[in-house]
Amino acid sequence: MLTIKDLKASVDGKEILKGLNLEVKAGEVHAIMGPNGSGKSTLASVLAGRSEYEVNGGTVTFEGQDLLDMKPEDRARAGVFLAFQYPVEIPGVSNANFLKTAVNEVRKSRGQEILDSKDFLVMMKERMKLVEMDKAMTQRSVNEGFSGGEKKRNEIFQMAMLEPKLSILDETDSGLDIDALRIVSNGVNALRDGKRAFIVITHYQRLLDYIVPDFVHVLYKGRIVKSGTKKLALELEEKGYDWIKEEAEALNA
Amino acid sequence: MNSTTINTINANSLLQDFDLFTDLYGKQTNYFQEIRKFSADKFNVLGIPTQKNEEWKYLNLSPLFKNDFRSVSHTQAFEIDAASAKQFHLCGENAIVFVIENGRLNRAASNVKTLPKGLSIGTLAELADDARVQKHFAQHADAITEPFVALNTAMSFDAMIVLLDEKIKINETIQFAFVTNTNQENISVPIRVLVIAEKHSECTVVESYHTLNEQHKVFVNAVSEVVVGEEARVHYAKIQIESENTFHINYHQVNQAKNSYQHITSLSLGASLLRNNLHIQLDGENCTTYLNGLYVLSGTQVMDNHTLVDHAMPNCYSNELYKGMIDDKSQGIFNGKIFVRKDAQKTNAYQSNKNILLSNDASINTKPQLEIFADDVKCSHGATTGQIDEEALFYLRSRGIAEPEARALLNHAFAAAVINQVESELLKESLLLLLSRKLRVMEEV
Ligand SMILES: Nc1ncnc2c1ncn2[C@@H]1O[C@H](COP(=O)(O)OP(=O)(O)OP(=O)(O)O)[C@@H](O)[C@H]1O
Ligand SMILES: [Mg+2]
């Protein structure tokens, strides 16, 4: 589904991704861990098409298409979704209105029927239940005045509405209480159908108890320096990153 | 010659039709004729301000008054009828709508059933004998130092008067649709309003400004005086959607007595050159006043908002929010004054001006001016000018919304925040529609 080859990217002239390789197949869940500042959000931003990030080399292919050549909106329509680490507040744009526009844009591009207000409401109610979201929240402006946890929940709600093929969750678990963590995970698991794929960026192996990954990768200094199974996450939890860093530095030397 | 005014010959020409109407006001003709003469003399002395005048610094009127404006005809037959007037209705079916075509009341086009008890609306000629009219007409807007108030007072004829008796609450919105409809070039149209809301009364008044025959250059000069009695509540809106050939200067003067409430929304979308002057005089204790404005400019439009809230008495609250969206080569100006006089202790006065520049050639001059002479006050003001929020734009796009639509959503949200404060739902809907229409046109260009 997604093939990243030797991806190099920089921001403000500073190289952050330094030759990153990753292959995600349909139905798989990949967890990406790694120390602060290693480039995890940068990878997510590059995949979503944020223009501040300059791609200096490598390729990203999504379902046969050159992803890097597509506008952010076209990536979304093709089925890529990013749950932001820091979702922005957009005063004056109602959550419901915004989502209706987004859902219908995505549906249009997939050749699906456009939802009228009634059908949209039905779908919204059903998905709201999934993430136990309050009705009042959908009527408010996008993320405006939402607590940290509410913002994250809203990201998963949007994911549930847009039904993407590939979802990238950037630290969706940070700032969530135990209940919210379960709710958010349920939202993700409900979408798992053997075809959809997920890239889950997290610092905590706890999330991976709920969303069980097929692979765990460690991103360090702009490269994936180690990959393994769920066991790797447990090992990291126990031992920290020092041994990985040492291994990586040794290899580089 | 006074260097802060333009050559008085041009100013004179605006008064050349002064004698066309000298017998409009029946028994009171002499009284009002005196006021007119006095104002004409004042205007002759004041002349048209130049940019050397601090209050007119950013607005160049000299090209405008190179034109030799003649007074609009007082005898031209009306063209608007009740059916065609529907296009000007902004406040739903129950509204009381007066159509003023070229500065004259067109009764046939108006939508006025019998007025509720305690409410009189008519022209100055019709209501000239009412003592309240004589007490307040031309007594509040400043014809002594403001040239265009003086000009208007000298040249306006069908002033529209609203008299609201004590304790009367009117649910229906009162709308004055001022329509310029001329097939001549360089016509000046004076417009005048006086609203008197007595003690404990409440009403909603909307002034809307339209153009029917869009290709002709017109100069609309409007003055409104609004007297808000003790405990009275007045909701007001001024909607400016005139043609690109319109030059529009208006003064809106509000005088509030103690414990009164006033809320005004000013929506400026039209005209090539527009100057809004809004002056709120808080002459009693415990007044509450809201001033909300939205100006959306494109092409080469120039819009200048000058506001003044004068806290003359203690314990009053004022809150001002003006927002601007400025595109293409257009030019926005905001000047917001707040005076807090020596006696006006415990004043709360807030002001905010926010602008978005949508093009590199667009400009805004914004100047908040606080003059505070009391010591126990809470005042704040802030002005921001920026571009569209790129983070928000990316967020919307990352959800599948194409860039132009995402921009439109954000622009609309920015501007709608002002309109959303309008209390009447019907009016709010109409205004949102007018805003969307203008934004859509702007996107297409
Ligand atoms: N806009 C920017 N300008 C300058 N430097 C940036 C910018 N964005 C990211 N960086 C830098 O790039 C590096 C990688 O940042 P990134 O956000 O991708 O890290 P991360 O792995 O997501 O970290 P965390 O775990 O803390 O979220 C950091 O050193 C960061 O400071
Ligand atoms: Mg990050």
Side-chain angles (χ1 to χ4, degrees):
Chain A
M1 177 180 278
L2 180 78
T3 310
I4 304 175
K5 279 198 183 129
D6 200 26
L7 182 63
K8 293 182 178 136
S10 58
V11 60
D12 285 342
K14 178 179 161 197
E15 188 165 66
I16 295 165
L17 299 183
K18 301 172 180 166
L20 185 143
N21 295 291
L22 183 68
E23 168 95 38
V24 178
K25 297 206 175 74
E28 291 177 351
V29 175
H30 291 246
I32 296 184
M33 305 182 82
N36 292 128
S38 57
K40 302 182 296 296
S41 293
T42 302
L43 172 64
S45 295
V46 169
L47 293 179
R50 196 189 277 272
S51 60
E52 300 96 282
Y53 293 84
E54 201 186 329
V55 176
N56 309 114
T59 57
V60 178
T61 319
F62 178 72
E63 298 209 302
Q65 281 179 287
D66 176 2
L67 192 71
L68 300 177
D69 200 31
M70 293 159 76
K71 291 186 199 154
E73 53 266 39
D74 292 331
R75 300 181 194 202
R77 291 169 187 185
V80 176
F81 179 90
L82 169 61
F84 288 81
Q85 183 173 5
Y86 304 109
V88 293
E89 302 194 3
I90 314 183
V93 176
S94 95
N95 233 337
N97 240 345
F98 146 67
L99 252 185
K100 189 170 172 221
T101 312
V103 165
N104 277 334
E105 284 300 334
V106 168
R107 289 178 72 93
K108 236 190 296 178
S109 74
R110 287 182 196 153
Q112 285 171 306
E113 219 179 307
I114 283 182
L115 296 179
D116 62 20
S117 296
K118 207 176 116 236
D119 292 340
F120 176 75
L121 227 68
V122 171
M123 178 174 176
M124 202 164 74
K125 268 200 186 134
E126 181 196 304
R127 307 288 150 98
M128 265 159 54
K129 229 186 262 162
L130 195 66
V131 292
E132 296 180 25
M133 195 154 110
D134 201 39
K135 185 159 170 265
M137 261 165 76
T138 65
Q139 281 154 359
R140 282 161 60 183
S141 293
V142 178
N143 294 325
E144 194 186 20
F146 284 23
S147 73
E150 284 169 344
K151 283 180 184 163
K152 297 298 177 73
R153 210 183 291 194
N154 195 25
E155 294 293 291
I156 299 305
F157 171 57
Q158 290 175 31
M159 182 184 80
M161 292 294 290
L162 292 168
E163 303 177 331
K165 291 178 186 161
L166 172 68
S167 302
I168 304 153
L169 311 184
D170 191 357
E171 292 197 28
T172 304
D173 56 332
S174 58
L176 291 185
D177 63 34
I178 302 290
D179 287 339
L181 189 66
R182 179 184 44 80
I183 291 164
V184 161
S185 309
N186 285 347
V188 172
N189 289 330
L191 272 183
R192 287 181 76 170
D193 63 351
K195 291 192 210 99
R196 297 184 210 281
F198 295 84
I199 296 174
V200 181
I201 297 170
T202 182
H203 284 295
Y204 308 104
Q205 99 81 27
R206 188 184 56 187
L207 176 72
L208 306 179
D209 288 338
Y210 293 97
I211 308 171
V212 182
D214 301 297
F215 301 95
V216 175
H217 310 278
V218 179
L219 186 57
Y220 177 62
K221 289 194 173 168
R223 283 196 196 96
I224 287 182
V225 293
K226 194 159 194 81
S227 296
T229 62
K230 192 174 176 298
K231 273 199 208 119
L232 177 57
L234 289 165
E235 210 174 336
L236 291 170
E237 181 100 338
E238 201 179 307
K239 300 202 277 183
Y241 285 115
D242 281 352
W243 63 283
I244 302 248
K245 288 181 187 171
E246 275 160 30
E247 266 185 41
E249 305 294 350
L251 227 95
N252 251 2
Chain B
M1 203 185 82
N2 185 344
S3 67
T4 58
T5 58
I6 294 171
N7 185 342
T8 42
I9 292 167
N10 284 307
N12 264 326
S13 80
L14 288 161
L15 292 167
Q16 65 193 309
D17 298 316
F18 183 85
D19 290 326
L20 280 183
F21 55 106
T22 48
D23 54 354
L24 282 174
Y25 308 125
K27 280 197 304 221
Q28 305 301 337
T29 291
N30 285 343
Y31 174 80
F32 289 108
Q33 203 54 18
E34 278 309 307
I35 294 178
R36 290 190 61 213
K37 281 210 188 93
F38 173 85
S39 305
D41 290 345
K42 279 289 168 216
F43 180 65
N44 261 329
V45 174
L46 293 167
I48 291 169
T50 66
Q51 291 178 274
K52 288 190 185 127
N53 180 329
E54 192 61 27
E55 295 299 311
W56 296 86
K57 193 170 163 184
Y58 297 108
L59 206 56
N60 183 5
L61 297 177
S62 55
L64 165 57
F65 290 104
K66 282 204 184 91
N67 302 303
D68 185 16
F69 286 105
R70 296 298 301 257
S71 231
V72 67
S73 159
H74 298 172
T75 50
Q76 188 191 309
F78 289 129
E79 282 180 14
I80 304 167
D81 58 21
S84 63
K86 287 245 156 57
Q87 62 183 301
F88 309 120
H89 291 198
L90 294 172
C91 313
E93 301 208 329
N94 293 325
I96 302 164
V97 184
F98 287 85
V99 174
I100 294 89
E101 184 173 348
N102 295 329
R104 279 184 305 144
L105 173 61
N106 177 343
R107 281 223 175 253
S110 300
N111 178 25
V112 183
K113 296 139 224 155
T114 30
L115 292 178
K117 203 170 151 286
L119 172 67
S120 323
I121 307 178
T123 63
L124 179 58
E126 290 164 342
L127 295 169
D129 287 334
D130 191 296
R132 292 171 290 183
V133 175
Q134 287 172 35
K135 183 173 171 203
H136 292 292
F137 183 81
Q139 299 306 310
H140 304 294
D142 175 9
I144 310 230
T145 60
E146 295 291 355
F148 294 103
V149 176
L151 175 65
N152 179 281
T153 310
M155 298 302 289
S156 67
F157 37 101
D158 260 4
M160 293 305 302
I161 315 283
V162 176
L163 299 172
L164 189 58
D165 295 352
E166 277 186 26
K167 294 191 179 136
I168 300 294
K169 291 191 166 45
I170 305 295
N171 292 323
E172 299 87 352
T173 299
I174 300 160
Q175 184 189 351
F176 294 120
F178 298 105
V179 188
T180 303
N181 177 25
T182 176
N183 46 28
Q184 286 169 284
E185 197 63 13
N186 296 336
I187 291 300
S188 79
V189 183
I191 281 162
R192 186 96 189 188
V193 174
L194 169 64
V195 175
I196 301 171
E198 294 205 81
K199 264 188 203 168
H200 295 281
S201 66
E202 179 163 5
C203 66
T204 302
V205 180
V206 175
E207 294 176 17
S208 59
Y209 292 85
H210 316 257
T211 314
L212 263 190
N213 227 330
E214 303 222 325
Q215 66 270 38
H216 300 291
K217 263 202 191 77
V218 294
F219 166 44
V220 174
N221 178 19
V223 173
S224 303
E225 293 173 298
V226 179
V227 181
V228 188
E230 284 178 24
E231 315 264 342
R233 297 172 66 86
V234 173
H235 316 268
Y236 219 101
K238 290 177 87 102
I239 318 303
Q240 215 291 335
I241 46 175
E242 287 166 312
S243 77
E244 287 171 15
N245 284 314
T246 302
F247 307 97
H248 181 124
I249 297 176
N250 77 77
Y251 281 80
H252 189 91
Q253 168 83 34
V254 180
N255 284 61
Q256 289 188 238
K258 72 177 184 198
N259 299 325
S260 66
Y261 171 97
Q262 190 278 153
H263 184 141
I264 184 165
T265 302
S266 144
L267 174 64
S268 302
L269 302 176
S272 64
L273 181 148
L274 172 62
R275 165 74 174 238
N276 294 316
N277 300 277
L278 172 57
H279 177 171
I280 302 203
Q281 186 67 36
L282 301 174
D283 277 339
E285 285 195 47
N286 288 316
C287 293
T288 300
T289 202
Y290 287 91
L291 316 65
N292 295 320
L294 173 66
Y295 41 101
V296 183
L297 293 72
S298 58
T300 55
Q301 284 183 300
V302 179
M303 291 189 192
D304 180 346
N305 280 286
H306 266 62
T307 66
L308 164 61
V309 183
D310 191 343
H311 283 263
M313 296 293 277
N315 289 310
C316 293
Y317 171 90
S318 69
N319 194 331
E320 173 169 18
L321 170 66
Y322 267 67
K323 281 188 159 190
M325 287 179 64
I326 303 139
D327 199 2
D328 303 330
K329 295 186 159 127
S330 62
Q331 184 197 353
I333 299 150
F334 174 81
N335 182 298
K337 286 198 187 77
I338 298 175
F339 289 164
V340 181
R341 311 249 171 206
K342 207 169 82 236
D343 295 334
Q345 299 297 356
K346 306 264 182 227
T347 286
N348 282 300
Y350 304 100
Q351 180 190 84
S352 159
N353 175 232
K354 294 184 174 160
N355 299 287
I356 287 192
L357 296 176
L358 296 173
S359 109
N360 289 334
D361 297 323
S363 71
I364 174 78
N365 287 292
T366 172
K367 184 178 175 193
Q369 239 176 301
L370 268 61
E371 292 180 26
I372 300 172
F373 303 100
D375 42 35
D376 185 12
V377 300
K378 273 194 199 126
C379 285
S380 76
H381 67 89
T384 60
T385 298
Q387 273 83 33
I388 203 162
D389 180 351
E390 292 292 335
E391 291 279 315
L393 187 66
F394 178 67
Y395 190 88
L396 295 177
R397 293 179 71 190
S398 80
R399 298 303 184 241
I401 301 173
E403 187 179 348
E405 281 79 52
R407 280 184 189 279
L409 254 171
L410 292 175
N411 286 340
H412 191 272
F414 173 82
V418 173
I419 295 175
N420 284 331
Q421 317 234 353
V422 170
E423 287 142 323
S424 150
E425 284 300 322
L426 287 167
L427 178 60
K428 193 191 294 179
E429 263 172 48
S430 298
L431 300 190
L432 287 172
L433 210 68
L434 291 173
L435 170 67
S436 303
R437 213 177 287 161
K438 168 125 192 183
L439 291 179
R440 215 172 308 132
V441 171
M442 282 162 64
E443 282 152 27
E444 277 160 14
V445 181

